[in-house]
Amino acid sequence: FDFQEKMEAVVSTQSTGANAKVAEAKKKKQKRLKEAKEEAKKEIQAFKNKMDFDFQEKMAKSQGYGEDYSAQIDKQSEADSKKLDASLAANEDKVVAWLIDLVSDIKPEVHQNYATVGFA
């Protein structure tokens, strides 16, 4: 019986040691899984942020609201204003003279509708 008791003690010790090793391995595995999960969450969030930024940038460009859109509008408006001012300066005298001629040169005529009815 002495041998059998010793064998049971050895088996029990080995079993306890094995159980401890299994428990330790499970803890390590759980820790690795948790770390991997956290890392995956970080990567997913980074990817999501990048995709959202790219989407917003494409939407802004497609709608014409780029970073320098207002600057382009200002430049274009200023250029158009200068063209109009130059055109006004070049043609102002001609237009005023034409308007004065139209107003001062009156030719009395019977309107065509009045003439077709037969009153004239």
Side-chain angles (χ1 to χ4, degrees), residues 65-79:
Y65 299 118
E67 294 172 4
D68 59 344
Y69 183 70
S70 60
Q72 289 176 350
I73 293 293
D74 290 343
K75 284 182 182 180
Q76 186 177 1
S77 297
E78 191 173 327

Side-chain angles (χ1 to χ4, degrees), residues 110-120:
V110 176
H111 192 272
Q112 68 182 16
N113 289 345
Y114 189 74
T116 57
V117 175
F119 295 111

